[in-house]
Amino acid sequence: MFARFLKTVPACTTCGLRLDDHQADDFPAYIVILALGHILVPLMIEVNSALSIPLGWQALIWPTLAIGLAVAMIQPVKGAVIAVQWSRRMAGFR
Ligand SMILES: [Zn+2]
């Protein structure tokens, strides 16, 4: 489905479905930000109440974790957004 990290192939190599007309736009990024906020903020609160990690380490740990999880999540989420658009015949799949 993806030619590069977030760039879709022009068409499916198996069935020929055109994928270059999808209009996922920024919606995958919004979903990742919303999901990560709901995962990381409670985790930060729980970790801070259970452990006493120095602020310098936390300044390294949390942004690294946020970036790593965002990079890991964005491609599957974009694929899911495109799949929902295809299944509902939305945007470029009319
Ligand atoms: Zn296909």
Side-chain angles (χ1 to χ4, degrees), residues 61-93:
I61 292 168
W62 298 117
T64 304
L65 193 60
I67 292 168
L69 287 173
V71 168
M73 288 172 68
I74 191 73
Q75 191 183 52
V77 169
K78 183 170 183 173
V81 167
I82 293 170
V84 168
Q85 288 181 336
W86 171 79
S87 72
R88 306 300 303 163
R89 301 292 183 257
M90 296 165 68
F93 298 109

Side-chain angles (χ1 to χ4, degrees), residues 12-17:
C12 177
T13 55
T14 305
C15 66
L17 173 71

